[in-house]
Amino acid sequence: MAEDRRLDVLRAIVEDYVSTKEPVGSRALVERHSLGVSPATIRNDMAALEEAGLIVQPHTSAGRVPTDKGYRLFVDRLATLKPLSTPERRAIETFMQDAVDLDDVVDRAVRLLAQLTHQVAVVQYPSLRRTALRHVELVPVAERHLLVVIITEHGRVEQRTLELADPMDLATVARLRMLLNVAAAGRRLSDLDAALAGIADEVEPESGALLHAVVGVIEDTLAGESEERVVVAGTANLVRGNTDVARTLSPVLEALEEQVVLLRLLSDAAEDEGVSVRIGRETRHEGLIEASLVSSGYGTDADGGGTAVARIASLGPLRMDYPGTIVSVRAVARYLSRILAN
């Protein structure tokens, strides 16, 4: 009973601190919450929570604020999450459904999440290494220059230009285009080697150099690290009332500018099931000790096994609305998955 009651007191402290941005005292808890116990009992519970490292007294204030450990327990013990309202869901669907291509989808998603949470939003592009090939287009642009267009199952488009030693034959290019799509469409990187190798037996010897060059471009593009990138929106939200983060704004901005840092954060979060919540030092980045990251995977792999092909996240202060952020991240991730599946 005492443990449950203290969890209720912790929950009330977190909710009040998020709402008021001020340290929470026992008198405020008595006035704002029906905890069913005396003020003295609440003070005793607060003392026990402080001793357990779940709340702390900042400076000389009479109130208490949650610690990283306190937020962690609060998030882990969330019983229910208020779903988005029907108008909110309809607004998300309307905003997302008009996207014209993958770039537009990602751009809309990151801006939408920033608006919903009033925090920084981060969306990772679907990884070429985890998605299947939908189509390969070969476009002669000059006598010795060939544009190779690679389109993934989620609509991502990569373009590379090949400079050839000899003039190309248009009929050979058309035949090679057909063979490549028959062999490679619907396959992931791990399955491409064998599929593409089999094409060599179906083309004339004089076309071997062109085939080798095109296959090399496809494999290098899908295997390369350079395609791993993220889009960020809502950075200005860091200074709009988020005093926790504002105190350490410079290192947070530096972390946001480093794509490799964001990609590492998202990769680490992928180890968690469902919606991941990394609080303060759990991000394992010194510049983000005053921030938390809520993220979720979206999309599925080529086998339909449910493995996310990329992640979406919201970065905000320790003093964030965790239930609301979790719901928003999960909702936008689901809409992203739905759009990419079509």
Side-chain angles (χ1 to χ4, degrees), residues 69-334:
K69 185 178 178 182
Y71 284 121
R72 179 79 268 165
L73 182 59
F74 170 78
V75 170
D76 289 345
R77 296 294 183 89
L78 282 176
T80 58
L81 292 171
K82 181 182 178 182
L84 293 175
S85 66
T86 300
E88 287 173 327
R89 292 197 303 272
R90 189 177 298 119
I92 292 175
E93 187 171 358
T94 300
F95 186 75
M96 294 295 297
Q97 69 183 5
D98 294 331
V100 296
D101 55 25
L102 181 62
D103 288 337
D104 195 15
V105 168
V106 171
D107 179 67
R108 286 170 182 258
V110 75
R111 288 189 290 119
L112 175 63
L113 185 59
Q115 293 170 10
L116 289 172
T117 62
H118 305 291
Q119 295 169 169
V120 178
V122 181
V123 178
Q124 178 186 21
Y125 266 79
S127 171
L128 292 179
R129 292 175 296 171
R130 293 191 294 271
T131 55
L133 200 62
R134 176 188 294 173
H135 183 75
V136 176
E137 186 60 46
L138 304 180
V139 184
V141 293
E143 192 176 49
R144 290 184 174 86
H145 288 84
L146 181 67
L147 180 65
V148 181
V149 183
I150 302 167
I151 305 173
T152 73
E153 62 175 338
H154 294 130
R156 182 166 177 175
V157 179
E158 294 289 329
Q159 301 182 70
R160 302 289 186 273
T161 300
L162 269 177
E163 184 174 356
L164 306 172
D166 301 307
M168 71 190 88
D169 177 70
L170 295 184
T172 299
V173 171
R175 175 167 168 72
L176 184 55
R177 179 193 303 118
M178 182 271 293
L179 291 173
L180 284 169
N181 283 293
V182 169
R187 295 181 182 271
R188 287 188 295 169
L189 175 63
S190 58
D191 305 321
L192 276 181
D193 286 346
L196 295 178
I199 301 178
D201 297 330
E202 301 186 47
V203 299
E204 296 74 13
E206 58 269 22
S207 304
L210 177 60
L211 171 63
H212 179 75
V214 172
V215 169
V217 165
I218 295 172
E219 292 181 336
D220 289 347
T221 301
L222 294 180
E225 294 291 337
S226 61
E227 95 285 351
E228 297 284 4
R229 59 192 178 104
V230 296
V231 178
V232 178
T235 306
N237 290 331
L238 288 174
V239 293
R240 292 175 183 164
N242 291 337
T243 54
D244 316 47
V245 176
R247 288 196 301 269
T248 56
L249 188 58
S250 180
V252 173
L253 290 175
E254 289 176 5
L256 289 173
E257 288 175 357
E258 293 291 337
Q259 293 262 319
V260 65
V261 171
L262 294 175
L263 288 167
R264 196 268 300 165
L265 289 172
L266 296 177
S267 177
D268 288 349
E271 299 171 1
D272 304 334
E273 293 185 7
V275 177
S276 169
V277 181
R278 296 294 176 97
I279 299 169
R281 286 178 172 79
E282 293 176 354
T283 63
R284 295 190 291 175
H285 190 283
E286 190 63 29
L288 300 177
I289 59 175
E290 295 287 344
S292 292
L293 184 81
V294 178
S295 69
S296 173
Y298 72 87
T300 56
D301 62 19
D303 299 327
T307 303
V309 297
R311 296 191 71 79
I312 181 171
S314 182
L315 178 74
L318 289 172
R319 183 193 49 75
M320 72 160 58
D321 174 12
Y322 288 96
T325 302
I326 291 171
V327 168
S328 296
V329 168
R330 187 170 61 188
V332 178
R334 286 175 175 173

